[in-house]
């Protein structure tokens, strides 16, 4: 079979449907696979914060609050960069934005090995890696899903979300072994190299739009031409925010997702390892438990995407937050010097719920905000990371002040109960005429 060139669009088109019995895998699934691997590679650095709190405290004498402040800046910028990254992908293309973001992550991670003062930690770990990882945030997954898929969006969202969360945790056993046996610097270098290794992979295999290869989005019945680059990316991002903040669903989605970030990235990812170490558990054992969370997160998030394609997303969110809150209330009683069955049950249960909230949240953004949904989701993700940033910082302050993390676990569990109630009151969107319109709830 030969390729043809569309005289109108000038794009090279792949052959049409194959005869029965010779069905091919749609190109969109290959793009999703590339995005999956890319997100895992870019997420390596995000597994380090919890591992470095004690080593940095011991080597430099910096307080846990200071180290937590660097993690807080990182998490906040991760979220605040996301909506602009979505608009930049519309302007310059996915490949360029992602390649630059990976390079910035590698630069920030590599420079940490020479730091000697807290401001350098804030610059490298907080600013550079925060900006780079923010451009690789879930807005990237949302953009890929929106462009390449018409059907199975919930499932693909779940798969790519699992990559984002699990990539942070898959590296934990290796990095914790490095930190404990060889110090924290080899771990930082490993993360920098991992980010750089993904750059050529992205540049050679990732494509911005189905029209680039003459394909249709998965599930579409007609060819979709590639839109013209969008001018004024930053202006459009802010304009979408101004429209969205005038609607009730935005505040409910942002509020629930802020609590989601507070109870995952800010709490468990940043403070679980040092909290377990406080109870006598070795760092490698605690890090391995987080890695197990990553394994079950893949199952839970993909299942959540499947559920989102079939069930009411508001009710799914309420169930997820309620179950997460209950589990956090029991955690202080489970921490011990050794790993016992109740702790394993918590790890499996929490892993299934880790970022299961993302597919239904993104589905609600699509329902409410149409063509602007990727950018709106970027702003909702910003609230997720602001919540995470607050708890990453306040959790360290609480540990310095009270000598334990117990109060942080209990307050986070209560916040999850609030999030469950907020999810239930998000009203359905009324039909709206016009592309990119924002419905008023």
């Amino acid at each position: 079979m030969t390729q043809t060139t569309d005289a109108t669009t000038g794009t090279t088109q792949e052959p049409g449907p194959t005869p029965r019995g010779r069905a091919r895998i749609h190109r969109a699934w290959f793009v999703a696979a590339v995005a999956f691997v890319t997100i895992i590679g870019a997420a390596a650095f995000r597994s380090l914060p919890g591992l470095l709190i004690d080593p940095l405290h011991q080597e430099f004498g910096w307080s846990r609050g200071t180290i937590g402040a660097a993690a807080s800046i990182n998490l906040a910028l991760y979220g605040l960069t996301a909506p602009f990254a979505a608009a930049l992908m519309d302007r310059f293309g996915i490949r360029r934005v992602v390649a630059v973001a990976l390079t910035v992550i590698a630069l920030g991670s590599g420079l940490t090995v020479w730091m000697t003062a807290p401001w350098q930690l804030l610059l490298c770990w907080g600013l550079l890696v925060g900006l780079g990882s923010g451009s690789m945030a879930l807005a990237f997954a949302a953009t890929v899903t929106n462009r390449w898929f018409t059907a199975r969006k919930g499932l693909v969202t779940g798969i790519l979300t699992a990559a984002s969360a699990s990539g942070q945790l898959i590296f934990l056993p290796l990095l914790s072994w490095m930190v404990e046996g060889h110090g924290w610097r080899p771990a930082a270098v490993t993360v920098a190299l991992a980010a750089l290794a993904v750059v050529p992979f992205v540049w050679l295999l990732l494509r911005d739009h189905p029209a680039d290869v003459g394909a249709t989005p998965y599930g579409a019945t007609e060819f979709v031409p590639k839109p013209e680059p969008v001018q004024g990316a930053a202006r459009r991002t802010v304009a979408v925010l101004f429209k969205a903040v005038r609607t009730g669903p935005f505040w409910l989605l942002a509020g629930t997702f802020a609590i989601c970030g507070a109870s995952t990235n800010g709490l468990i990812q940043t403070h679980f390892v040092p909290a377990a170490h406080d109870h006598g558990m070795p760092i490698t054992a605690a890090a391995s438990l987080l890695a197990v969370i990553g394994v079950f997160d893949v199952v839970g998030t993909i299942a959540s995407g499947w559920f989102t394609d079939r069930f009411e997303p508001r009710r799914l969110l309420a169930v997820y937050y309620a179950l997460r809150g209950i589990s956090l209330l029991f955690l202080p009683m489970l921490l011990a010097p050794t790993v016992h069955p109740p702790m394993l049950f918590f790890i499996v249960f929490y892993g299934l719920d880790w970022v299961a909230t993302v597919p239904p949240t993104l589905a609600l953004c699509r329902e409410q905000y149409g063509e602007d949904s990727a950018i709106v989701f970027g702003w909702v993700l910003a609230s997720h990371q602001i919540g995470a940033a607050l708890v990453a910082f306040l959790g360290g302050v609480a540990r310095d002040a009270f000598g334990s993390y117990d109060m942080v676990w209990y307050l986070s569990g209560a916040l999850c109960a609030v999030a469950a109630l907020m999810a239930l009151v998000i009203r359905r969107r009324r039909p709206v005429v016009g592309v990119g319109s924002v419905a008023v709830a």
Side-chain angles (χ1 to χ4, degrees):
M1 293 186 295
T2 59
Q3 293 182 328
T4 60
T5 302
D6 189 296
T8 303
T9 63
T11 58
T12 300
Q13 300 192 18
E14 296 183 341
T18 56
R20 291 181 181 272
R22 298 178 58 193
R24 300 184 309 166
I25 299 176
H26 195 282
R27 181 63 178 265
W29 293 109
F30 290 105
V31 172
V34 172
F36 182 87
V37 174
T38 302
I39 292 171
I40 285 181
F45 191 89
R46 306 197 60 75
S47 62
L48 270 181
L51 300 179
L52 298 189
I53 289 178
D54 285 336
L56 293 179
H57 174 69
Q58 293 168 6
E59 179 173 340
F60 297 107
W62 300 338
S63 70
R64 291 177 176 83
T66 298
I67 301 169
S72 178
I73 293 172
N74 178 288
L75 291 167
L77 287 176
Y78 176 91
L80 293 173
T81 304
F84 293 96
L88 287 173
M89 288 177 189
D90 287 342
R91 174 67 179 86
F92 298 105
I94 298 174
R95 285 197 303 170
R96 293 179 181 177
V97 173
V98 172
V100 171
L102 288 168
T103 303
V104 172
I105 291 173
L107 179 64
S109 180
L111 287 176
T112 58
V113 301
W114 290 290
M115 66 184 180
T116 57
W119 70 266
Q120 296 165 342
L121 176 67
L122 298 177
L123 174 65
C124 296
W125 188 356
L127 180 63
L128 291 179
V129 176
L131 290 173
S133 58
S135 299
M136 286 292 303
L138 293 176
F140 170 47
T143 302
V144 169
T145 303
N146 287 346
R147 291 186 181 184
W148 281 90
F149 291 85
T150 298
R152 305 295 186 189
K153 284 188 174 183
L155 176 62
V156 177
T157 300
I159 293 172
L160 296 183
T161 300
S164 179
S166 299
Q168 304 164 27
L169 306 174
I170 287 171
F171 286 89
L172 274 169
L174 172 63
L175 296 178
S176 64
W177 172 78
M178 286 185 174
V179 170
E180 192 163 61
H182 305 281
W184 60 270
R185 288 178 177 84
V189 172
T190 299
V191 169
L193 293 177
L196 282 178
V198 180
V199 174
F201 190 67
V202 168
W203 194 257
L204 294 174
L205 299 178
L206 194 64
R207 292 295 179 266
D208 292 332
H209 195 277
D212 290 340
V213 292
T216 60
Y218 179 81
T221 57
E222 298 180 356
F223 181 81
V224 179
K226 183 176 181 178
E228 293 294 325
V230 178
Q231 302 292 331
R235 184 169 59 254
R236 181 190 173 206
T237 300
V238 175
V240 169
L241 174 64
F242 284 159
K243 289 194 296 182
V245 296
R246 295 197 294 268
T247 67
F250 175 82
W251 292 105
L252 291 170
L253 289 168
T256 56
F257 225 39
I259 294 172
C260 179
S263 57
T264 53
N265 300 65
L267 182 66
I268 296 295
Q269 180 181 309
T270 305
H271 295 294
F272 178 82
V273 171
H277 191 54
D278 284 346
H279 287 76
M281 185 180 294
I283 290 177
T284 51
S288 296
L289 289 177
L290 280 185
V292 173
I293 287 180
V295 173
F296 285 94
D297 163 71
V298 174
V299 178
T301 309
I302 294 175
S304 177
W306 188 86
F307 290 143
T308 302
D309 286 332
R310 290 161 175 80
F311 300 104
E312 170 56 53
R314 295 160 185 78
R315 294 180 181 177
L316 289 176
L317 282 179
V319 171
Y320 296 157
Y321 284 121
L323 293 177
R324 183 184 300 176
I326 292 171
S327 67
L328 287 173
L329 294 177
F330 282 97
L331 181 57
M333 296 178 282
L334 303 179
L335 293 170
T338 59
V339 179
H340 47 83
M343 173 58 79
L344 289 176
F345 178 80
F346 168 83
I347 292 297
V348 172
F349 185 86
Y350 196 88
L352 292 172
D353 193 74
W354 178 269
V355 283
T357 56
V358 174
T361 300
L362 184 50
L364 289 172
C365 285
R366 291 195 195 101
E367 174 189 305
Q368 298 287 337
Y369 304 105
E371 292 291 328
D372 290 333
S373 62
I375 296 178
V376 173
F377 180 71
W379 285 113
V380 172
L381 178 61
S383 71
H384 179 282
Q385 295 307 115
I386 290 173
L390 287 173
V391 172
F393 171 65
L394 294 177
V397 173
R399 171 60 178 81
D400 289 334
F402 303 112
S404 77
Y405 286 100
D406 289 357
M407 183 65 67
V408 183
W409 306 128
Y410 294 136
L411 289 176
S412 296
L415 284 174
C416 287
V418 174
L421 295 175
M422 292 171 66
L424 290 175
V425 300
I426 299 174
R427 288 184 286 180
R428 290 182 180 273
R429 172 184 179 271
R430 295 192 299 270
V432 177
V433 178
V435 177
S437 299
V438 175
V440 178

